[in-house]
Amino acid sequence: MEHITLLIGIVIVTALVFDFTNGFHDTANAMATTISTGALAPRAAVAMSAVLNLLGAFLSIEVAKTISSGIIDEGSGIRPEVIFAGLVGAIIWNLLTWLAGLPSSSSHALMGGLIGATLAAVGTGAVNGDVVVMKVLIPALAAPVVAGLASLFATRLTYRVARHADEERTAKGYRAGQITSAALVSLAHGTNDAQKTMGVITLALVTGGALAPGSDPPVWVIASAGLAIALGTYLGGWRIIRTMGKGITDIQPPQGFAAQTSAAATILASSHIGFSLSTTHVCSGAVMGSGLGRKGGVVRWGTAGRMIVGWALTLPAAGGIAAGAALLAGQGDWGVTTVAVLALALCGAIWARSRRAPVDHTNVNGDSSTAVEPTGIPGPAAEPTAEPAPVSVPAGVVTTAVRAVAPPPPPAGVAVGSAEEAAASETPTPHPTDRPASASSLS
């Protein structure tokens, strides 16, 4: 009994660590558009989101029930070490995608980890396939589509209603609206995502005999899960905030307001009916919809495609890591210890790698469309060593050659057109041998 009690304690601590990574991994869901449009300063945005995530954790327990007694059969012989292995798989995948700046789903990482560990340790009979399909897979496919369509139409309606209004005045109003809608998304995120950790801790307590099957999460479980996700949110997942705020599309205040309102409505509706929804899928879909909804708006489908690939890999990748951890942890005390040591070492290595190109509140609004992470995956750019400045693409050979022969900027007070004409008339035609090489010859 002492061994089981110690192991349950380890599982609870690991679950709260996952909840912490969930917080900073998903901060972008609520605050990316608010920060990118300047509606709130980065630090103020994550502080507000943290408080509302904590409050949201106390609003419902429907999703916690789905996790604790829906996906996994409590009476199938699940042991606490299996839950521990599932959490390890989810944490490692969360950190890998954070390093790459990809807004993947912490929810699916958790469920993939639990399913993979259960399959490896117990077998297919311990996983409720119908629940996985109805409350995980179908919402995963439908959520970004529903939120994206809602955001698209909301964006178009917003611009149509305000088409004759003064742009500067309406921008101020929309920024205020963004703050309100971002607060609603943060509250919804706490309502949905904090419950997943509550469900895992409750499942561990049931498998260890500390709670009866079907029990609701105790108050201390709700409070600890809310505090862990709030702390993670306050630290800010700046890499993912940059990708979602700048990498998918250029967000204007009306778009940010429409996207966040659509996302909040979708998340709150799913929490009410107990769907373990990915807030990342919802908010990313809403951002893409807002890009399509604005006339002249552009969605960067390269970034969106990488995100979708990450979404598709989340369940099997987290499940595969967790399955290996479960097989090792099932060997006894030394197996659990080995899994814990390996997980700590890998997490430390990921954090150390991230320090090579840090992203924080000072450079979060830099351009991330072409920067490359140390992992080789396109993502946030390196933090400037002096004062923060907009990140630009390094000039290539052709660009440098063109700049070398370009005329100087016109002096103050001279019209641009006349300066260009004067430069064209005064610049002698270079000899063919002096012209810059073509792009094909320099590539």
Side-chain angles (χ1 to χ4, degrees):
M1 186 65 182
E2 292 180 359
H3 170 72
I4 292 294
T5 301
L6 175 61
L7 188 54
I8 291 176
I10 293 173
V11 172
I12 291 172
V13 171
T14 309
L16 293 177
V17 171
F18 165 78
D19 205 24
F20 174 81
T21 66
N22 190 353
F24 72 74
H25 200 281
D26 289 2
T27 308
N29 297 340
M31 290 300 166
T33 59
T34 305
I35 292 171
S36 67
T37 60
L40 273 177
R43 281 296 186 191
V46 296
M48 183 183 79
S49 183
V51 172
L52 291 168
N53 266 278
L54 176 59
L55 294 177
F58 290 89
L59 295 184
S60 173
I61 58 171
E62 293 302 318
V63 176
K65 290 180 179 179
T66 298
I67 298 293
S68 64
S69 59
I71 295 175
I72 306 300
D73 185 0
E74 297 170 328
S76 60
I78 298 294
R79 305 288 293 171
E81 54 263 32
V82 176
I83 302 172
F84 170 67
L87 288 166
V88 167
I91 290 170
I92 291 174
W93 183 252
N94 263 0
L95 291 177
L96 286 172
T97 50
W98 163 76
L99 178 65
L102 288 177
S104 67
S105 171
S106 297
S107 306
H108 287 185
L110 174 60
M111 286 178 282
L114 289 175
I115 293 170
T118 301
L119 290 175
V122 181
T124 57
V127 178
N128 296 323
D130 293 342
V131 177
V132 173
V133 171
M134 294 300 298
K135 292 199 172 185
V136 178
L137 296 182
I138 291 179
L141 296 174
V145 176
V146 171
L149 289 174
S151 178
L152 186 152
F153 291 118
T155 301
R156 290 185 177 178
L157 178 62
T158 298
Y159 276 105
R160 181 175 293 274
V161 169
R163 63 185 182 276
H164 298 306
D166 179 73
E167 185 175 344
E168 186 174 343
R169 292 179 61 188
T170 55
K172 292 180 181 179
Y174 282 126
R175 286 192 178 96
Q178 270 193 280
I179 296 173
T180 303
S181 58
L184 191 58
V185 173
S186 297
L187 192 68
H189 183 261
T191 303
N192 196 287
D193 278 45
Q195 289 189 59
K196 292 157 190 170
T197 301
M198 298 177 206
V200 171
I201 295 175
T202 303
L203 179 61
L205 293 172
V206 170
T207 59
L211 283 179
S215 298
D216 291 343
V219 175
W220 68 265
V221 172
I222 298 173
S224 59
L227 287 170
I229 200 169
L231 180 59
T233 300
Y234 179 70
L235 291 182
W238 303 111
R239 293 170 178 270
I240 300 175
I241 289 175
R242 170 182 281 184
T243 299
M244 192 173 290
K246 294 290 186 180
I248 300 175
T249 186
D250 293 321
I251 298 288
Q252 295 182 355
Q255 292 171 274
F257 172 72
Q260 288 174 313
T261 303
S262 303
T266 305
I267 295 168
L268 288 173
S270 68
S271 297
H272 179 69
I273 58 180
F275 281 167
S276 183
L277 197 66
S278 166
T279 55
T280 301
H281 290 188
V282 172
C283 294
S284 300
V287 170
M288 284 187 272
S290 70
L292 295 173
R294 176 170 66 89
K295 186 177 181 180
V298 175
V299 174
R300 298 184 181 93
W301 293 110
T303 301
R306 289 192 296 273
M307 287 169 47
I308 293 171
V309 170
W311 296 352
L313 290 175
T314 296
L315 278 168
I321 297 170
L327 292 174
L328 186 55
Q331 304 303 312
D333 291 348
W334 71 268
V336 174
T337 303
T338 303
V339 170
V341 171
L342 290 176
L344 287 173
L346 185 54
C347 292
I350 293 172
W351 181 85
R353 192 68 177 267
S354 73
R355 295 302 87 197
R356 297 186 183 181
V359 181
D360 58 23
H361 66 284
T362 64
N363 63 347
V364 67
N365 278 334
D367 181 15
S368 64
S369 58
T370 56
V372 177
E373 282 293 317
T375 57
I377 303 174
E383 181 182 9
T385 55
E387 294 183 0
V391 181
S392 59
V393 181
V397 177
V398 176
T399 305
T400 304
V402 171
R403 288 176 179 173
V405 299
V414 178
V416 174
S418 61
E420 291 177 349
E421 293 171 0
S425 62
E426 293 176 6
T427 303
T429 303
H431 190 274
T433 58
D434 297 331
R435 292 177 182 173
S438 64
S440 59
S441 65
L442 293 174
S443 59

